[in-house]
Amino acid sequence: MTGRLGGSMIRSVMSDEARNARVVPLPTGSLIAGLFAGADLADAYAIRLPPDSRRDIETLARFMLGEQAPWLHLLMAMRDAMVAGFGIKTSRQLRKAPTSKVSDRLYIFRVYATCKDEMILGEDDKHLDFRVSVLLRSDGAEGDGKNEIVVTTVVHCHNLLGRTYLALIAPFHRIVVRSNLQRAARRGWPQSATLQG
């Protein structure tokens, strides 16, 4: 194999890794790791970041969740129609839920915490509580650099209605998380400020 062909194959593999979300173990270093035990749902998906992308967690999280795929709007409308009569908050109610300032919400999620490498989102309801971590970390493949985003979701149900609702939405949840990560990669993650100028 020539060096040129080898380099081409490596770039192809790396570009596939940067476009495809994969299931990963729950990140024990996450701020929500204490919620993993006893959870009704706990999963994590990761995607590689290109070398030239920003490494600011809030910018990356807002980019990933700020523009949803058109089919997701339809899915959310269907979900809202089904849950409205059961006292579960609709996406509209979640988006309009009071917070001290606009930046305290991202899409339908309340922002619970933002630190250097992690943003914690979620919502509490009488049927279930959930948290979503968007974590910037190294996958160990390229030294100590932060080169991947990990989205972790943890749900704790309070009653039968919460467990029934979770059983119905869990398959869609997994599709949506992967789609959000892969759609952000296709759109092109925000570039590092030093590369934009």
Side-chain angles (χ1 to χ4, degrees), residues 39-161:
D40 294 282
L41 180 144
D43 60 23
Y45 294 87
I47 196 164
R48 293 284 300 272
L49 291 169
D52 62 350
S53 69
R54 294 276 296 267
R55 295 304 195 261
D56 172 73
I57 193 60
E58 185 166 358
T59 299
L60 295 170
R62 290 190 180 280
F63 180 78
M64 180 182 67
L65 294 170
E67 184 181 314
Q68 299 292 323
W71 62 266
L72 184 55
H73 294 292
L74 178 61
L75 187 63
M76 290 301 288
M78 292 169 54
R79 174 248 181 222
D80 289 349
M82 290 189 319
V83 305
F86 294 99
I88 296 174
K89 293 174 185 172
T90 65
S91 58
R92 181 185 174 111
Q93 289 171 319
L94 291 171
R95 278 194 300 272
K96 302 290 184 188
T99 53
S100 59
K101 54 186 188 279
V102 174
S103 61
D104 288 342
R105 293 205 80 79
L106 175 51
Y107 182 47
I108 62 171
F109 307 119
R110 177 179 168 194
V111 177
Y112 281 89
T114 304
C115 59
K116 182 175 180 289
D117 293 327
E118 189 170 17
M119 194 169 193
I120 307 299
L121 313 166
E123 199 64 58
D124 293 340
D125 205 339
K126 60 185 177 183
H127 306 301
L128 58 80
D129 299 339
F130 73 91
R131 293 295 180 271
V132 176
S133 158
V134 183
L135 176 67
L136 178 61
R137 73 171 186 187
S138 169
D139 68 358
E142 295 180 11
D144 295 328
K146 308 288 187 180
N147 64 344
E148 73 174 358
I149 288 284
V150 182
V151 176
T152 306
T153 307
V154 180
V155 181
H156 286 268
C157 298
H158 303 312
N159 52 36
L160 179 60
L161 180 56

Side-chain angles (χ1 to χ4, degrees), residues 10-22 46-50 139 141-142 147-148 181-182 185 189:
I10 289 169
R11 281 192 299 276
S12 175
V13 169
M14 288 183 72
S15 65
D16 284 346
E17 286 178 348
R19 286 193 306 260
N20 294 317
R22 66 196 188 284
I47 196 164
R48 293 284 300 272
L49 291 169
D139 68 358
E142 295 180 11
N147 64 344
E148 73 174 358
L181 285 166
Q182 291 172 178
W189 294 99

